[in-house]
Amino acid sequence: MDCSELISVIIPTYNRKNKLPECIKSVLAQSYTNFELIVVDDASTDGTEELFKSISDPRVTYLRYDTNHGACYARNYGAERCHGNIIAFQDSDDTWHPDKLEKQLAHLTESKADMSFCGMNRVSKNGSHFYYPVHPYEPEHSLANFLAENRASTQTMLMYKYVWEQLKFDESFKRYQDWDFAIRAAAEFKLAYLPEALVESEVGGDSISFAVNSYPALVKLYNKHEALYSKYPESDAVMNRRMGRRIHKIQPAEAAVHFMKSFKLCHKWYDLCYYIGDKILSILPGNKKEEKL
């Protein structure tokens, strides 16, 4: 194995003192050993800095600042200070398989791509799990695929530094920042997918609070890339369906607008069914007055 390429691994963290050690351990246990690990402490208040008093591995660098700015800022902060020509990002509550970097670097090199992303196992607290990404990736339809659904979560990405330098993470995003990055990457660079789970990631259950908090983030993502969505009607329909389904139990009038747009774009009967159902719900007592379509 050629270990001449230095890989910079960036981990943003905020108040994950209890989970961060396992994450770091999984990086330090990589079969590919020529890497630097930069942990960026986004102003944690749980004593995270104490962990690094006992870490003597010279590959580990701990950076901290005193004002919380969010994960995107922390990722950019770490990447700006890294030394490798290749960058990988990890999340502080997830773990990598020992051969993650080795396999992905080989995949990146052999595919002659600018960025590689791999699969991962999403594990819930009740023990259930599923493989991510859920749907297949079609290289010849890369941008359309990513507009319809994110397939490259941050901790699965490995890229040449010039990709990050051109794109960087949008620090205005508090949710779906990896999806936004992946859409822009698919529009500008060659991506390659390694269909193997090399990451273990804990995921919470869906809930009403998740719907309320995630819907505005979906709208923000959609609005930012509206010009691209207009060129890919099928992806546009999928995204509007997703936004509609996210809120149809709590904001049926607004959801109906999304379902109608999706129906007009792809003429799927289930979009029409959702639309009719939400139109009815929106005029029932206790719901907000229906908005005009």
Side-chain angles (χ1 to χ4, degrees):
M1 179 177 60
D2 181 9
C3 294
S4 62
E5 195 74 69
L6 176 66
I7 300 177
S8 296
V9 180
I10 314 297
I11 302 178
T13 189
Y14 176 68
N15 287 347
R16 293 294 177 90
K17 182 181 179 181
N18 293 332
K19 293 189 174 184
L20 183 58
E22 282 301 309
C23 171
I24 293 175
K25 182 179 178 181
S26 77
V27 176
L28 296 181
Q30 290 295 299
S31 57
Y32 187 90
T33 58
N34 187 20
F35 64 83
E36 62 173 354
L37 172 57
I38 301 176
V39 180
V40 182
D41 188 345
D42 192 28
S44 295
T45 58
D46 64 348
T48 292
E49 65 274 11
E50 296 296 321
L51 297 173
F52 295 87
K53 293 180 179 179
S54 60
I55 297 178
S56 57
D57 194 309
R59 295 173 296 178
V60 179
T61 298
Y62 172 69
L63 303 176
R64 175 186 166 85
Y65 41 79
D66 294 329
T67 302
N68 179 260
H69 294 287
C72 286
Y73 179 93
R75 291 187 185 102
N76 289 336
Y77 187 92
E80 285 169 354
R81 290 157 177 79
C82 76
H83 302 95
N85 186 45
I86 293 177
I87 301 178
F89 294 95
Q90 168 65 316
D91 287 352
S92 58
D93 54 349
D94 296 332
T95 56
W96 282 352
H97 291 199
D99 53 359
K100 197 259 188 190
L101 289 181
E102 179 183 352
K103 286 185 174 180
Q104 220 173 344
L105 177 59
H107 181 245
L108 181 70
T109 304
E110 292 166 6
S111 65
K112 300 187 185 306
D114 302 296
M115 183 178 102
S116 165
F117 63 99
C118 65
M120 70 177 173
N121 294 319
R122 303 298 302 270
V123 184
S124 68
K125 292 181 180 179
N126 63 16
S128 63
H129 61 88
F130 64 92
Y131 178 84
Y132 176 96
V134 176
H135 297 107
Y137 173 67
E138 305 162 301
E140 68 276 16
H141 302 295
S142 182
L143 182 53
N145 280 183
F146 273 103
L147 287 168
E149 178 183 73
N150 188 20
R151 288 161 166 80
S153 190
T154 313
Q155 62 273 60
T156 71
M157 296 177 179
L158 182 82
M159 69 192 74
Y160 287 101
K161 190 174 183 179
Y162 61 75
V163 176
W164 170 81
E165 287 175 333
Q166 180 170 323
L167 301 178
K168 298 191 178 180
F169 287 92
D170 186 337
E171 295 172 14
S172 70
F173 275 77
K174 303 304 179 186
R175 190 187 289 266
Y176 303 130
Q177 56 265 46
D178 50 356
W179 193 354
D180 167 66
F181 188 95
I183 288 173
R184 291 184 287 126
E188 298 292 337
F189 296 102
K190 180 182 178 181
L191 309 189
Y193 169 48
L194 177 58
E196 181 179 352
L198 298 175
V199 179
E200 301 293 315
S201 176
E202 186 176 288
V203 60
D206 203 351
S207 64
I208 293 296
S209 62
F210 171 77
V212 171
N213 294 328
S214 65
Y215 174 71
L218 282 174
V219 173
K220 177 182 175 70
L221 181 74
Y222 180 79
N223 289 341
K224 177 175 179 178
H225 300 290
E226 189 172 7
L228 289 176
Y229 278 106
S230 68
K231 298 177 181 178
Y232 296 90
E234 290 186 9
S235 300
D236 199 346
V238 170
M239 189 61 162
N240 271 279
R241 185 180 305 125
R242 177 179 290 107
M243 290 188 286
R245 294 187 67 173
R246 194 63 54 87
I247 59 167
H248 83 105
K249 292 181 179 179
I250 52 178
Q251 295 173 259
E254 193 166 349
V257 177
H258 291 299
F259 288 125
M260 177 51 70
K261 182 169 184 179
S262 184
F263 176 71
K264 288 179 177 178
L265 287 166
C266 68
H267 305 290
K268 301 291 186 182
W269 66 268
Y270 43 80
D271 287 327
L272 188 59
C273 290
Y274 271 114
Y275 168 74
I276 293 171
D278 283 337
K279 287 285 284 185
I280 294 172
L281 282 174
S282 68
I283 61 176
L284 291 176
N287 285 299
K288 291 175 64 177
K289 186 177 179 180
E290 180 184 354
E291 298 176 1
K292 290 185 178 180
L293 294 179

